[in-house]
Amino acid sequence: MTTGRARRRGAAASATMALLVVAGCSTDQPERGGRDAPAAPPQESVEEPVEEPVEEPEQPEEPEEPAEPSPTAETSPEASPEPDEPLSADAVDTAVAVRAVRHLAGRIGPREATGEAYARAARWVSGELSRLGYDVERRRVDVPAGESWGVPVPAGRSVNVVATPPGFDPTKPHLVVGAHLDTVPQAPGAEDNASGVGVALAVAEAASQHSTRLPTVFVAFGAEEPRGDPEDHHYGSRQYVAAMPPAERRAMRAMVSLDRVGVGAVVPVGSAGESDPVQGALLAAARRAGAAAVAESGQRSSDHWSFVRDGLPAARLGSTPYAGYHSTADVPSVVSPAQLERVGRIVAEWLAPR
């Protein structure tokens, strides 16, 4: 891809060459969920070297720009699709998801919902979505003190990062794609849940450049992880649902939660009950996208449950058990790019016009 900056450098070099020839001078010079019991490590791993998680994420404040080149920041006008070109499974760039996993789990590290590391992660995700052209807001989530996977956690404030397409009307039919951004205090959270956030960003990029069957809201939820008994979690998504006015609730056609989507070779598609229409639609999308998937029932340990328990249609993608669950071993190398690709294809096909 030739950028404007590269063309300007070329023009300047040509002008310099001309001056040297006129003067007779020579120019010859050398010239990247459920609370399942730990299982065996996944068969696949990230294909390129990745940084180990930051052990002490409390670092000096950094700018909101990403620490590495954003996979969505540079696009060529010549390469951009026509605005009315429909979204397809092939439109999702898996590299966007992989880089997000590396940044969130490898650079920022553990992201307890009320801590500074979480705030840094929320700012970074906000910046990524803003660059794609979405209208982004960070909605306050108040979180109580408690114990998260054996570690005391303080009361405080978290945020939901909510991205809507320009001109979005919440009273008109729409879809929601969400993934929780927080982790338990001790885990870098590559699989749980930088993987889900990464796929959401990759699909958001594709959706910003193609038409979808309905406008889609992308949400990075805060405070999903437990803070005590089974009811002391999902604070971000519960707040999101509680704040929905009646007209918005009627207009939301379905929600999908991306939670632990980077391990394994088959994508779990979870329903809160035995089965439901959203799960069925996701399974059909998986078949069209050529992505291996399996139905799961009784899935209530992710943010989709906040919607279902309040009478709204929702389902979950992800939940394969893995050895690093809720531990310091949940680093980028446990995440499989091939599994991220499968999930991205399923979500894109679910959003695609039909």
Side-chain angles (χ1 to χ4, degrees):
M1 180 190 308
T2 301
T3 64
R5 183 180 299 174
R7 287 193 290 269
R8 290 194 294 273
R9 285 201 299 268
S14 298
T16 302
M17 179 71 74
L19 289 173
L20 289 172
V21 170
V22 170
C25 298
S26 170
T27 60
D28 296 331
Q29 297 182 16
E31 302 183 331
R32 146 127 11 323
R35 310 300 167 227
D36 307 292
Q43 296 297 313
E44 306 173 62
S45 63
V46 167
E47 298 165 353
E48 62 184 38
V50 296
E51 296 112 336
E52 287 301 311
V54 179
E55 294 184 359
E56 297 182 3
E58 296 79 18
Q59 301 177 11
E61 186 70 15
E62 62 181 25
E64 293 192 21
E65 293 294 325
E68 57 185 326
S70 167
T72 62
E74 294 185 333
T75 55
S76 167
E78 302 86 13
S80 297
E82 292 298 319
D84 59 352
E85 184 179 338
L87 180 63
S88 71
D90 295 331
V92 179
D93 183 1
T94 304
V96 174
V98 171
R99 291 173 189 173
V101 169
R102 294 178 63 191
H103 183 79
L104 291 170
R107 288 184 179 273
I108 295 179
R111 303 175 297 281
E112 190 278 316
T114 63
E116 174 54 27
Y118 181 86
R120 288 173 54 203
R123 291 192 296 269
W124 183 79
V125 171
S126 297
E128 293 297 290
L129 291 165
S130 293
R131 270 189 290 277
L132 294 173
Y134 291 91
D135 295 327
V136 181
E137 61 177 312
R138 283 178 272 177
R139 300 180 184 175
R140 172 176 172 168
V141 179
D142 291 319
V143 188
E147 185 176 289
S148 183
W149 220 248
V151 179
V153 288
R157 180 183 302 176
S158 191
V159 295
N160 290 334
V161 179
V162 181
T164 56
F168 174 71
D169 183 348
T171 67
K172 300 294 179 61
H174 64 276
L175 302 169
V176 176
V177 174
H180 75 86
L181 181 57
D182 65 312
T183 69
V184 294
Q186 64 270 47
E191 169 67 347
D192 189 12
N193 185 41
S195 64
V197 175
V199 171
L201 288 173
V203 174
E205 179 194 53
S208 72
Q209 299 171 353
H210 299 79
S211 61
T212 56
R213 62 187 172 97
L214 289 174
T216 304
V217 180
F218 292 91
V219 187
F221 290 112
E224 185 271 349
E225 294 291 0
R227 303 179 85 81
D229 66 46
E231 291 302 309
D232 284 338
H233 61 168
H234 303 161
Y235 283 92
S237 53
R238 285 160 60 184
Q239 188 277 343
Y240 183 93
V241 171
M244 295 174 71
E248 183 175 354
R249 296 166 67 90
R250 290 192 296 269
M252 197 206 80
R253 294 295 182 261
M255 180 270 182
V256 61
S257 175
L258 309 180
D259 194 348
R260 293 173 38 209
V261 298
V263 166
V266 177
V267 180
V269 183
S271 168
E274 288 301 314
S275 64
D276 63 74
V278 183
Q279 180 192 49
L282 288 167
L283 289 168
R287 290 191 291 271
R288 294 194 301 271
V294 60
E296 289 189 348
S297 61
Q299 272 282 0
R300 298 185 177 186
S301 55
S302 188
D303 286 310
H304 69 295
W305 175 235
S306 297
F307 291 77
V308 174
R309 70 191 297 181
D310 226 31
L312 298 171
R316 172 184 179 174
L317 291 178
S319 73
T320 303
Y322 68 112
Y325 178 67
H326 280 191
S327 78
T328 57
D330 191 4
V331 295
S333 60
V334 308
V335 174
S336 163
Q339 185 75 332
L340 296 177
E341 180 180 5
R342 293 181 194 101
V343 176
R345 291 179 65 83
I346 292 171
V347 179
E349 189 62 38
W350 181 66
L351 296 177
R354 292 193 300 278

